[in-house]
Amino acid sequence: MNPSEVPFEEMAVVSNAHLERYAEASGDHNAIHLDEKVAKAMGLPGVIAHGMLVAGWISERALRFGETHGKGKIFVSKINVRFRAMVFPGDRISVGGTFKVLSPQVWHLDLQAKNQKGEVTTSAAIDVTIQ
Amino acid sequence: MGPFTEVVNAARVARFQISVEDSNIQDVPPTFLTVFRKPEFDLFQSLGVELKRVLHAEQEYRFERPLRIGEELTYQCRLANVLEKKGAQSFLSFLVIETEFFSGHEAGTQARVAFSKTTVVVREPI
């Protein structure tokens, strides 16, 4: 069966407040996400978003899609995320891609997070399983 | 490293959900496991790697079932692979850390709940 579309949906416009909240909630206080001076000293254009924050938006998109299109209670049973390009405060992040039905219980989604320029910042392969 | 034991604490899950603007389709979002990365950060420190030189390259999680609020997880992590490359402007070290999560106290004797594979790249100036 050919993959079907998961429409792109805007998940967030990244702000420094997102990065501060995520640092606190996740325990990842790496200064490249929080301190402009440190980020620049490390050769980055400025502070960058935690990759896992974007991964959180991608898994949220997969679950929302699964909930709308599936039957019953679902969970992400597998997720593989590749961080391809940096995400900066001000970036507008949308997530979409394709899905296919692997079995009556398992859907496979290939999703990408894109910034406002249409560049793929993050890609993910996700299995959503019906419990 | 480990074993370590942590509870999937309701307040911590709620704070995490707010930070990712999660709509609570799963009681515990799949990426919540990232809150248990402290042993990874400790590992970097023990290897003399400064956290600010670490970039996340890839992350995989596999779950036997969704995590449950209030459950206790025991986990152990190990440095599974190291690959070094010379880039144009820096030395790059790719570190792969694998972590297994079990329900209850005794790692190895309880059912495995989840598996994590983290790949980071460490950039050191030439």
Side-chain angles (χ1 to χ4, degrees):
Chain A
M1 203 182 90
N2 289 325
S4 307
E5 193 192 1
V6 179
F8 274 82
E9 264 186 22
E10 186 176 312
M11 302 304 286
V13 178
V14 182
S15 68
N16 290 96
H18 276 120
L19 310 191
E20 284 157 23
R21 275 201 302 268
Y22 194 78
E24 281 304 313
S26 70
D28 182 348
H29 298 280
N30 191 333
I32 60 172
H33 305 304
L34 303 167
D35 187 326
E36 202 72 20
K37 272 190 197 154
V38 173
K40 286 187 171 154
M42 290 298 106
L44 308 174
V47 292
I48 61 169
H50 300 79
M52 290 309 296
L53 172 60
V54 181
W57 293 329
I58 294 174
S59 64
E60 168 71 9
R61 180 73 191 94
L63 285 164
R64 275 192 216 164
F65 181 80
E67 189 180 60
T68 314
H69 293 79
K71 290 190 177 100
K73 204 161 163 57
I74 54 169
F75 75 103
V76 169
S77 50
K78 186 174 174 184
I79 176 166
N80 182 289
V81 192
R82 287 168 186 256
F83 306 106
R84 298 182 175 279
M86 293 175 193
V87 173
F88 302 97
D91 281 355
R92 188 175 291 274
I93 299 298
S94 302
V95 177
T98 60
F99 82 98
K100 58 188 174 188
V101 177
L102 290 189
S103 76
Q105 280 77 40
V106 184
W107 289 25
H108 181 82
L109 293 87
D110 285 304
L111 299 182
Q112 296 91 43
K114 290 183 177 175
N115 63 18
Q116 65 283 0
K117 296 174 207 156
E119 296 161 343
V120 174
T121 67
T122 317
S123 60
I126 297 177
D127 285 352
V128 169
T129 296
I130 303 165
Q131 280 178 271
Chain B
M1 295 175 79
F4 308 93
T5 300
E6 296 255 17
V7 174
V8 181
N9 172 283
R12 204 166 179 190
V13 171
R15 192 167 57 160
F16 186 83
Q17 286 181 309
I18 291 167
S19 78
V20 295
E21 294 159 358
D22 178 276
S23 59
N24 200 29
I25 296 168
Q26 275 187 225
D27 291 343
V28 183
T31 60
F32 180 76
L33 274 186
T34 195
V35 308
F36 301 138
R37 278 184 75 197
K38 186 167 183 304
E40 290 183 21
F41 299 144
D42 292 345
L43 178 70
F44 301 149
Q45 199 171 23
S46 73
L47 294 170
V49 171
E50 289 180 284
L51 190 56
K52 64 186 180 183
R53 300 193 179 280
V54 175
L55 291 174
H56 209 163
E58 188 172 343
Q59 181 65 50
E60 178 167 315
Y61 293 128
R62 280 183 255 154
F63 297 90
E64 308 301 326
R65 58 160 173 79
L67 300 182
R68 297 169 187 147
I69 301 272
E71 78 173 319
E72 202 169 66
L73 294 177
T74 296
Y75 56 100
Q76 279 184 301
C77 75
R78 66 182 192 101
L79 184 61
N81 199 10
V82 179
L83 180 73
E84 294 184 319
K85 275 190 202 173
K86 189 165 178 261
Q89 286 153 18
S90 45
F91 285 112
L92 305 175
S93 306
F94 292 83
L95 311 181
V96 179
I97 298 127
E98 293 182 345
T99 308
E100 289 193 293
F101 294 85
F102 299 86
S103 65
H105 289 286
E106 297 160 74
T109 63
Q110 304 274 338
R112 192 174 89 172
V113 176
F115 169 80
S116 161
K117 182 177 164 188
T118 303
T119 306
V120 297
V121 55
V122 183
R123 302 178 311 149
E124 302 278 1
I126 288 177

